[in-house]
Amino acid sequence: SELHINVKDVAFHLSKETIAKRSATVSSLLERNKIDELPCILRDIETDPETFKLVAEFCYGYKVNLSSDNIVSVLCIAYYLGMKEEHSTDNLLGKASSFLETRVLPSWNETVNALRSGDKSLDKLADFELVDLFFDSLIEKASYDPRLLGEPIKNREETTSEYRPNPRRRLFDNDWKSEDLITLPLRFYEPLIIRAMESHSIPVEYIVTSICKYAKKWVLDAEDSVSGKKREVVEAVERLLPHKRGLISCEFLFKTLKHSIWLESSSECRNGLGIRVSKQLDMATPTDLKILTQGYGEKDIQLVRTVVTSFYSNYTNGEEDSEDVSLFVKVAKLLEEFLLLAASEDASLKLEAFVALGEITAAISLGVLRYSDGIYRAVDAFLERHGYLTESEKMEACKVLDCKKLSRQGCEEAAKNQRLPLRVVVQVLFVSQLQIRDTVAKEIKGGEEKVEEEEVTVWSDEDEVEKMSEKLLGMEIQDHECVVHRWKKAKKVSVWSQVKRKFGCLTTSSSDDACTRDVKNNKKKRKKIHHHYK
């Protein structure tokens, strides 16, 4: 009369009649004399000894201790054993369903814990759509309190330096610790986040916070994880991250892109992360950019070149607002600061790597920055850290330096710099003489223009339109930056044509910058009508 069952090497000796009173499945097997099929059913649902012991105790009349940890497994066993109300009143399947509805789903923590704990059993209950039930419950709660997906919202008071929570958030206990969605397996986390995005009821900033935390836990900060599992997470994170500019920190994007390359993720994943990085490259810092060049190998430098090229193509192809010239200036300065950082901090930086990075930086500053003193300082720092270089190697490092783009102060410093090769110092002195000559010429020209201003000048209507256009559409970048004017009726001047040529052939140079061309064009466009009065 006893039923002998082994559940994962744990033996159970149960009364057949006692189990049959609660289980329609066991009762049917006894009637058909096929009770030997019961172990196969239990193996199919992959139950664990602890949960099966709890079910067996229920059949013997003991009180069942249900919790969010075991509720899904109990539901699964009760369903497959047919422990329904139709077979026996006050049966286990009804009790477990009621507990799930009244004790688990109303609570965020209990719902997350039940979803995580019932990972394997939920597949056996697909017909009940329990996963959808859990998802809907979590999204509803996150819609009311988005901080469940990340850090609480904090507002900065204008009068104090302290942070105070939003009044709506004060309704919640600050000491209450919520279960984090990032503990869920990927097969639950990804569809849950997709459904949260489709609901449009949760601010996207909170969803992005959760996605970034998930990537940090399972990829960026995970040391013992299998590379295959990491690759799956990286590819899923790329699919989930929005493309909106500025929502994701540059540091996170750079690290994720680097890991996607290390893990040999799909080309769609790497390209998607690269596009996101390039779209907000102007927001990055030199430290962020250094993440891509760990080791300064050929592939690392090529990755920097690819990201920078992608940034410019986004704007020159009209995908972004190309009117905002300041973005190009920020990226040009970023490359100069990054070159200086690499040259000054890394003594192992090889000459070939420095020259390659310097050529990229010089190509970006062309037509964007009037002066490139940052490149000079990077060259000086590199020569200081590598004092063992020969004269020819020093000349090789200095080939990224365009002496014509040094400011007056930069020329003065370079002329006294003993680390520079003599040929470079001579070039600097020659440029200094040209700057002095141009300054004198401007002062003489300024005196002549001052005399002309004493005459009565009347501008034509067309010139007035151009004058207003210059004020509204022109953007003057101060502090040694290029001045780029956009005229309403004039043909646009592409300041990036030289940049594109630079990326195609980095040895091409041009002596005119955008500022010089604009000055010449403005002289030709402007017409003055003088009226002489008696």
Side-chain angles (χ1 to χ4, degrees):
S1 61
E2 284 192 347
L3 182 64
H4 302 280
I5 300 175
N6 285 324
V7 179
K8 294 185 178 179
D9 298 330
V10 178
F12 288 90
H13 305 283
L14 307 172
S15 171
K16 296 180 181 178
E17 297 297 331
T18 302
I19 301 299
K21 288 180 181 179
R22 290 292 189 180
S23 170
T25 301
V26 174
S27 178
S28 176
L29 291 175
L30 284 174
E31 291 176 0
R32 293 181 288 126
N33 197 24
K34 294 183 178 181
I35 194 63
D36 293 338
E37 296 180 3
L38 181 59
C40 298
I41 296 175
L42 295 177
R43 284 197 300 269
D44 182 60
I45 60 178
E46 297 182 357
T47 184
D48 59 274
E50 292 78 9
T51 306
F52 186 78
K53 179 180 179 181
L54 185 149
V55 174
E57 289 176 346
F58 172 80
C59 295
Y60 279 89
Y62 291 96
K63 183 179 179 180
V64 181
N65 294 321
L66 296 175
S67 67
S68 60
D69 293 318
N70 59 33
I71 184 60
V72 177
S73 297
V74 170
L75 279 169
C76 187
I77 296 176
Y79 172 69
Y80 273 83
L81 293 182
M83 304 177 75
K84 304 177 182 179
E85 300 292 329
E86 293 83 355
H87 180 73
S88 175
T89 59
D90 196 25
N91 215 336
L92 184 57
L93 189 60
K95 283 182 175 293
S97 299
S98 177
F99 182 86
L100 176 68
E101 182 179 359
T102 60
R103 299 289 298 277
V104 176
L105 293 179
S107 168
W108 170 274
N109 282 4
E110 300 296 331
T111 304
V112 174
N113 193 36
L115 184 60
R116 181 179 60 246
S117 303
D119 182 7
K120 297 179 180 179
S121 300
L122 281 169
D123 291 337
K124 306 299 179 180
L125 299 173
D127 295 340
F128 287 88
E129 298 181 349
L130 278 182
V131 175
D132 293 335
L133 197 64
F134 284 135
F135 285 179
D136 292 339
S137 174
L138 293 172
I139 292 174
E140 180 183 1
K141 294 174 178 60
S143 301
Y144 178 68
D145 182 19
R147 73 170 187 165
L148 293 169
L149 299 179
E151 295 298 323
I153 297 177
K154 295 179 180 181
N155 297 333
R156 178 182 287 276
E157 298 290 339
E158 296 180 357
T159 56
T160 65
S161 59
E162 298 179 356
Y163 284 103
R164 297 183 181 179
N166 186 291
R168 179 185 177 188
R169 311 304 173 202
R170 293 174 189 162
L171 298 174
F172 300 91
D173 184 6
N174 291 331
D175 297 331
W176 175 68
K177 179 65 175 177
S178 63
E179 285 283 349
D180 206 326
L181 291 184
I182 66 174
T183 59
L184 295 176
L186 182 61
R187 71 188 195 96
F188 288 150
Y189 182 82
E190 184 175 5
L192 174 59
I193 293 299
I194 292 176
R195 185 173 297 189
M197 289 180 173
E198 293 174 347
S199 68
H200 300 290
S201 59
I202 305 174
V204 67
E205 293 82 3
Y206 290 90
I207 296 178
V208 169
T209 298
S210 178
I211 297 172
C212 294
K213 289 168 61 179
Y214 196 88
K216 289 180 180 179
K217 175 178 176 60
W218 297 103
V219 179
L220 305 184
D221 296 339
E223 297 180 356
D224 301 330
S225 299
V226 181
S227 59
K229 183 177 180 180
K230 285 185 176 183
R231 187 186 307 112
E232 292 179 1
V233 174
V234 166
E235 293 176 353
V237 166
E238 189 279 326
R239 291 192 295 267
L240 293 174
L241 286 175
H243 283 269
K244 186 177 179 182
R245 169 182 155 90
L247 279 178
I248 314 164
S249 71
C250 292
E251 180 184 6
F252 173 81
L253 283 177
F254 279 73
K255 287 183 177 180
T256 309
L257 174 59
K258 196 68 175 179
H259 275 79
S260 70
I261 297 173
W262 288 338
L263 297 171
E264 298 181 349
S265 301
S266 64
S267 58
E268 293 81 4
C269 174
R270 297 194 302 269
N271 293 337
L273 291 171
I275 291 174
R276 289 176 177 86
V277 167
S278 63
K279 278 189 174 181
Q280 58 185 64
L281 185 60
D282 57 290
M283 301 179 182
T285 64
T287 306
D288 296 333
L289 203 57
K290 192 176 180 181
I291 296 173
L292 299 182
T293 57
Q294 295 179 357
Y296 296 101
E298 183 178 351
K299 293 183 178 179
D300 300 323
I301 296 174
Q302 180 58 39
L303 181 58
V304 175
R305 183 183 286 107
T306 301
V307 169
V308 174
T309 306
S310 178
F311 168 80
Y312 278 89
S313 64
N314 288 335
Y315 288 87
T316 55
N317 293 336
E319 297 181 12
E320 301 289 346
D321 183 14
S322 58
E323 295 292 327
D324 193 356
V325 185
S326 63
L327 300 183
F328 301 109
V329 175
K330 289 180 180 178
V331 173
K333 287 189 172 182
L334 169 66
L335 265 295
E336 288 192 351
E337 293 173 2
F338 165 68
L339 184 64
L340 175 59
L341 178 67
S344 57
E345 289 189 356
D346 196 341
S348 62
L349 179 63
K350 296 182 179 179
L351 176 62
E352 296 79 6
F354 175 78
V355 172
L357 291 173
E359 288 177 337
I360 298 174
T361 305
I364 297 308
S365 64
L366 179 64
V368 179
L369 300 180
R370 176 177 295 173
Y371 299 120
S372 297
D373 289 357
I375 297 180
Y376 158 70
R377 295 189 176 90
V379 171
D380 182 41
F382 182 79
L383 295 179
E384 183 179 8
R385 295 278 288 182
H386 300 74
Y388 53 84
L389 295 178
T390 63
E391 194 71 12
S392 60
E393 289 175 334
K394 290 181 179 180
M395 284 299 302
E396 180 71 13
C398 291
K399 78 176 187 178
V400 301
L401 177 62
D402 186 358
C403 297
K404 296 188 295 296
K405 296 195 68 175
L406 287 176
S407 66
R408 181 177 297 180
Q409 180 182 357
C411 287
E412 292 177 358
E413 295 177 3
K416 302 175 183 178
N417 194 335
Q418 298 181 358
R419 284 186 288 269
L420 295 176
L422 182 59
R423 291 174 59 184
V424 176
V425 174
V426 172
Q427 294 178 18
V428 171
L429 292 174
F430 179 73
V431 171
S432 300
Q433 294 297 322
L434 293 179
Q435 289 180 349
I436 295 174
R437 186 194 65 182
D438 293 341
T439 302
V440 173
K442 289 179 181 179
E443 291 178 355
I444 296 175
K445 185 178 179 181
E448 293 177 353
E449 291 180 351
K450 186 175 181 181
V451 175
E452 291 179 0
E453 288 178 358
E454 296 178 359
E455 300 179 4
V456 179
T457 304
V458 180
W459 297 83
S460 65
D461 293 339
E462 181 178 355
D463 291 327
E464 286 293 339
V465 172
E466 291 184 352
K467 186 177 180 181
M468 291 303 298
S469 177
E470 179 182 0
K471 291 182 178 180
L472 296 176
L473 300 180
M475 178 172 291
E476 183 171 341
I477 311 300
Q478 301 293 341
D479 299 330
H480 308 305
E481 296 170 3
C482 177
V483 180
V484 180
H485 295 287
R486 301 180 182 275
W487 299 96
K488 183 176 292 185
K489 294 189 177 183
K491 182 180 180 181
K492 290 186 177 181
V493 179
S494 175
V495 296
W496 312 124
S497 58
Q498 298 183 63
V499 176
K500 291 180 178 178
R501 288 199 296 271
K502 270 286 186 177
F503 279 114
C505 179
L506 291 171
T507 58
T508 304
S509 61
S510 176
S511 58
D512 295 332
D513 58 11
C515 304
T516 307
R517 291 195 298 271
D518 282 337
V519 172
K520 293 178 180 178
N521 292 336
N522 293 342
K523 288 182 179 180
K524 294 180 181 180
K525 291 175 182 178
R526 192 169 290 179
K527 300 178 181 179
K528 292 185 180 182
I529 302 175
H530 301 282
H531 296 271
H532 301 278
Y533 296 91
K534 295 182 179 180

